[in-house]
């Protein structure tokens, strides 16, 4: 995807849901990649609580979960003095724009969203309307800041494409080049981290088995146990990457290793070709403990200081609102609502 119009300020926005239990997939696929972007772009990182409530969330837990996401951002290296870290529902312009975009997006486009189909499953008639229009709110999150770049894991690519379709239609209906076409930033290295129990499914918060994921709050012992128990193939690691393609568990473990080590997949694969899984698992455990351990310790420290975290979120919301209110006014102008 290319052709972001150059007359827009380069701006990054991404979001993570406060649904509890952030995991290695969230970190390697998304949060880790936010960090270097703040050097190059004006960046906003959002705790998307309105997305979280598209499925039931216990009201008593929500503040704690928001603090956990803010803590994960900061512990991973996002600098609250440089980037805007904020909470979605504190900036009502997201929902205001979302309604306008609901009137631009077409039912047919939303009907094609695979995440909705996956999450709704056989329960399509009983899930919330919010779960269906979720991608439109996501488009509003991005467009209310006229963000040009959106770092996400690969599972969000289709939602980004929908946001681009909305931009094209909006610009065509109202005013050429009003919104920029947002570009996804998806790093190939860790685009999709798979479940440790079934590498054909993505690692996810909603998997019922704790052993399917490494949580960012796991102790070193838990990391060790989970990697020991991680499913492997009966055969040793093969001799070529082509053969690895038919061994999803092996591929996943090497993907995790290479993403934690920040090295090319091919180089990591080379270290373990034709070796036994036990050797890979011992090294992977060490690498994971080195990577996740310090983040977990910092997260714990931050979470114990809720006042500090809520202060960061409030301050971020103020700054975000400054941009968002201006864009919303422009939207109301071009659509004739003002
Ligand atoms: P989840 O899908 O677990 O509910 P979120 O919706 O909060 O997580 O996603 C936060 C970010 O983490 C998104 O950018 C998403 O693409 C990324 N992400 C989630 N799961 C994975 C995974 N298994 N591998 C890579 N990235 C992931
Ligand atoms: N839908 C994203 C996810 O599940 C979270 C999200 C909400 C988001 N709004 C966003 C990501 C805006 C990027 C930009 O992972």
């Amino acid at each position: 995807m290319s052709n972001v119009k150059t007359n827009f300020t380069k701006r990054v926005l991404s979001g993570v849901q406060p649904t509890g239990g952030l995991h290695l997939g969230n970190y390697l696929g998304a949060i880790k990649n936010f960090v270097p972007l703040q050097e190059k772009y004006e960046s906003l990182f959002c705790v998307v609580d309105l997305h979280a409530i598209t499925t039931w969330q216990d009201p008593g837990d929500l503040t704690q979960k928001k603090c956990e996401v803010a803590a994960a951002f900061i512990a991973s290296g996002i600098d609250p003095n440089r980037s805007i870290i904020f909470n979605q529902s504190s900036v009502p312009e997201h929902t205001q724009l979302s309604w306008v975009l609901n009137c631009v997006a077409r039912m047919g486009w939303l009907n094609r969203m695979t995440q909705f189909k996956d999450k709704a499953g056989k329960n399509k008639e009983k899930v919330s309307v919010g779960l269906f229009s979720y991608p439109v709110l996501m488009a509003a999150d991005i467009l209310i800041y006229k963000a040009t770049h959106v770092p996400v894991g690969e599972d969000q690519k289709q939602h980004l494409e929908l946001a681009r379709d909305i931009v094209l239609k909006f610009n065509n209906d109202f005013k050429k080049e009003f919104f920029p076409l947002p570009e996804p930033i998806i790093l190939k290295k860790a685009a999709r981290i798979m479940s440790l129990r079934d590498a054909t499914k993505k690692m996810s918060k909603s998997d019922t088995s704790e052993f399917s994921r490494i949580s960012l709050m796991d102790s070193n012992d838990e990391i060790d146990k989970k990697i020991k128990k991680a499913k492997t193939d009966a055969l040793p690691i093969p001799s070529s990457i082509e053969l690895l393609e038919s061994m999803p568990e092996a591929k996943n473990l090497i993907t995790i290793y290479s993403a934690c080590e920040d090295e090319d997949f091919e180089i990591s694969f080379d270290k373990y070709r034709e070796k036994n899984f036990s050797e890979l698992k011992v090294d992977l455990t060490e690498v994971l403990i080195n990577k996740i351990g310090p983040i977990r310790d910092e997260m714990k420290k931050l979470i114990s200081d809720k006042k500090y975290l809520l202060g960061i979120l409030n301050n971020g919301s103020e700054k975000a609102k400054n941009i968002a209110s201006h864009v919303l006014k422009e939207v109301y102008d071009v659509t004739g609502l003002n």
Side-chain angles (χ1 to χ4, degrees), residues 85-317:
I85 298 177
F86 72 109
N87 180 49
Q88 185 185 31
S89 66
S90 309
V91 185
E93 284 81 357
H94 289 234
T95 27
Q96 289 174 286
L97 177 60
S98 175
W99 184 260
V100 177
L101 301 185
N102 265 324
C103 300
V104 174
R106 306 288 98 177
M107 288 294 286
W109 303 352
L110 285 165
N111 272 327
R112 286 194 286 275
M113 296 295 112
T114 55
Q115 181 173 296
F116 176 76
K117 288 183 202 163
D118 289 348
K119 289 203 172 170
K122 293 195 189 84
N123 224 5
K124 236 172 124 184
E125 296 298 316
K126 295 220 172 115
V127 293
S128 72
V129 176
L131 193 68
F132 185 70
S133 63
Y134 174 118
V136 180
L137 177 60
M138 177 165 161
D141 297 338
I142 299 164
L143 299 176
I144 197 68
Y145 303 101
K146 295 192 175 176
T148 53
H149 293 80
V150 184
V152 277
E154 202 181 48
D155 59 323
Q156 295 302 311
K157 201 170 163 191
Q158 195 186 31
H159 289 163
L160 246 297
E161 268 153 23
L162 181 97
R164 290 167 66 91
D165 287 339
I166 291 176
V167 166
L168 291 173
K169 182 157 165 54
F170 185 99
N171 286 353
N172 187 55
D173 288 353
F174 297 105
K175 189 177 156 202
K176 293 253 174 306
E177 292 185 34
F178 182 84
F179 285 123
L181 263 180
E183 294 266 353
I185 302 181
I186 299 173
L187 293 192
K188 251 180 79 195
K189 212 181 283 169
R192 199 175 267 260
I193 303 296
M194 310 309 279
S195 155
L196 299 177
R197 303 301 299 152
D198 173 1
T200 59
K201 292 194 312 201
K202 77 163 196 153
M203 186 177 282
S204 158
K205 291 168 193 160
S206 47
D207 198 311
T208 49
S209 167
E210 278 291 327
F211 280 93
S212 68
R213 61 186 162 260
I214 304 278
S215 153
L216 292 185
M217 298 298 264
D218 278 348
S219 67
N220 293 353
D221 262 7
E222 281 165 323
I223 296 175
D224 182 49
K225 267 196 213 125
K226 287 180 180 179
I227 295 300
K228 278 207 179 96
K229 261 195 112 165
K231 199 172 159 211
T232 49
D233 306 82
L235 299 167
I237 296 160
S239 58
S240 73
I241 289 193
E242 291 70 52
L243 291 170
L244 192 69
E245 285 307 322
S246 58
M247 297 173 70
E249 333 286 348
K251 188 177 168 197
N252 189 35
L253 294 181
I254 299 175
T255 300
I256 296 173
Y257 179 95
S258 77
C260 286
E261 284 291 82
D262 259 324
E263 84 186 1
D264 286 344
F265 181 83
E266 290 72 18
I267 294 175
S268 300
F269 173 72
D270 231 27
K271 291 185 187 165
Y272 297 100
R273 68 166 79 224
E274 292 176 303
K275 300 245 168 85
N276 286 325
F277 277 100
S278 55
E279 208 167 317
L280 168 62
K281 282 187 168 186
V282 169
D283 293 353
L284 179 58
T285 302
E286 189 186 322
V287 156
L288 275 169
I289 289 175
N290 286 339
K291 195 86 207 171
I292 299 302
I295 295 174
R296 172 200 60 220
D297 295 344
E298 184 62 20
M299 274 178 76
K300 283 199 169 149
K301 220 160 72 193
L302 289 164
I303 287 169
S304 68
D305 192 352
K306 207 177 271 168
K307 215 173 132 203
Y308 169 75
L309 288 176
L310 292 175
I312 299 269
L313 288 172
N314 284 339
N315 188 19
S317 300

